[in-house]
Amino acid sequence: MEAYAADAVDYARDTYGKVLDFSPESLDELEAIAAQLHKSFPKSFLSKFFKPRPSDAQLDSMSKLLGGYLGEVIRRKMGGSWNINEEFHALGLQLAEDD
């Protein structure tokens, strides 16, 4: 997920001219990027013929990119590690336990 977060930094800079610096304040920029991506999706039936929706693979990639960045901001601020959740067979952020 750290690699996805690093890719998000590059993507934000290269595509939107936004700076993601892993600070909690940078999540406003991340939200703006997500909103712009959402606005770019076709909304009407006719627009689907002219501008197709992103594929499932593209959505999956973008979710990992943006989610990885969000998770890394949280991990760096609160501590924790990325782990596989055996119950859900998914990668997730496990926050550090308070002492």
Side-chain angles (χ1 to χ4, degrees), residues 37 40-42 51-60 62:
L37 284 167
S40 73
F41 290 0
K51 185 175 183 185
R53 289 184 59 84
S55 69
D56 287 346
Q58 289 170 317
L59 289 173
D60 185 58
M62 193 54 60

Side-chain angles (χ1 to χ4, degrees), residues 76-95:
R76 290 176 184 203
K77 178 75 175 166
M78 300 180 70
S81 60
W82 293 102
N83 296 304
I84 298 290
N85 180 308
E86 296 297 332
E87 180 182 354
F88 296 108
H89 304 286
L91 183 62
L93 180 60
Q94 182 174 349
L95 297 177

Side-chain angles (χ1 to χ4, degrees), residues 27-49:
L27 295 179
D28 289 336
E29 298 291 353
L30 187 73
E31 184 177 12
I33 291 168
Q36 284 183 285
L37 284 167
H38 183 279
K39 285 180 186 177
S40 73
F41 290 0
K43 303 293 186 259
S44 70
F45 177 75
L46 265 181
S47 66
K48 291 178 185 177
F49 293 110

Side-chain angles (χ1 to χ4, degrees), residues 4 19 23 42 54 60 63-65 70 77 80 92 94-95:
Y4 282 117
V19 175
S23 67
D60 185 58
S63 296
K64 288 176 183 172
L65 198 78
L70 172 62
K77 178 75 175 166
Q94 182 174 349
L95 297 177

